[in-house]
Amino acid sequence: MATRTLTRCYRFPDVDFEPDLRLLVWKDKSETSLTQHESRLLEVLCYCAGEVISAEPLYEKAFSQIDPYEDASGQHYDINAIFHSLTDKLNRDGKLAIPIEVLPHYGFRVPLPDKTCRTVHQNQLKPSLPAPEEDVPPPYEETPTEKIVKYSVWHKISVAILTLAGVAMIVASTF
């Protein structure tokens, strides 16, 4: 079975970069997945393609608020390590598919993509394998709160009294 996804795409001569899926799609249709940090870094570089972007603004745009539900104030990312792993993944036949130019004392630059577009990405779903025995979660046990709600007569009486009090307040407020 295949799923289709509409994604943004930066098309370069040898590879398509799809930041929404964190994928490099090569011309032979093979795919290389990127980490979230590699994808964000490459996305910022592609967004500013043709321009020189210094390390500080690049870092701020790529890594400020990666996860909106997470406090990232204390997190620091090693941009050199991320660049190293990214260039390893971009290397094909001894050549970088998306050349990242380093301009000492100025910053970084990637060339303009051939095309920036939206593309329909087709995923082939592979059948999932059954989970190994040790990964089976333990049987579900009710929490003490769930036991009180389900089985306590006093809880049921207090809920009924609160409901009646609420109805009485509504009735009294209409007169």
Side-chain angles (χ1 to χ4, degrees):
M1 178 163 72
T3 60
R4 296 169 46 148
T5 310
L6 183 64
T7 65
R8 294 176 295 141
C9 176
Y10 295 97
R11 185 158 290 157
F12 290 90
D14 297 326
V15 68
D16 290 348
F17 169 51
E18 297 180 13
D20 297 332
L21 298 175
R22 298 191 318 222
L23 279 179
L24 295 172
V25 181
W26 301 91
K27 294 303 173 192
D28 64 359
K29 301 296 181 205
S30 64
E31 297 176 350
T32 303
S33 62
L34 300 174
T35 66
Q36 182 179 18
H37 302 116
E38 293 166 343
S39 180
R40 291 286 297 255
L41 187 63
L42 187 56
E43 181 179 6
V44 171
L45 287 169
C46 288
Y47 183 77
C48 301
E51 301 175 14
V52 176
I53 183 167
S54 65
E56 189 174 323
L58 176 63
Y59 187 89
E60 288 174 9
K61 289 179 183 184
F63 303 118
S64 65
Q65 196 174 9
I66 285 182
D67 184 358
Y69 301 107
E70 181 179 290
D71 179 25
S73 59
Q75 294 185 355
H76 300 286
Y77 302 100
D78 184 0
I79 199 167
N80 292 323
I82 297 169
F83 263 122
H84 181 72
S85 63
L86 179 60
T87 54
D88 285 346
K89 291 180 180 179
L90 287 170
N91 195 354
R92 267 283 161 107
D93 301 324
K95 178 182 138 193
L96 286 179
I98 303 174
I100 301 172
E101 188 178 357
V102 179
L103 303 166
H105 307 291
Y106 291 103
F108 306 91
R109 175 174 55 198
V110 298
L112 291 170
D114 293 345
K115 187 176 185 182
T116 302
C117 59
R118 289 215 166 281
T119 185
V120 175
H121 182 84
Q122 194 125 4
N123 281 347
Q124 293 297 326
L125 295 178
K126 299 176 180 94
S128 62
L129 299 174
E133 287 298 319
E134 62 271 7
D135 289 345
V136 174
Y140 178 74
E141 291 185 28
E142 291 180 332
T143 65
T145 305
E146 290 174 320
K147 288 179 182 177
I148 290 170
V149 169
K150 284 185 177 179
Y151 306 114
S152 171
V153 173
W154 290 110
H155 175 74
K156 292 178 177 153
I157 292 171
S158 65
V159 169
I161 290 171
L162 287 172
T163 304
L164 289 173
V167 170
M169 288 182 68
I170 292 172
V171 170
S173 68
T174 59
F175 292 112

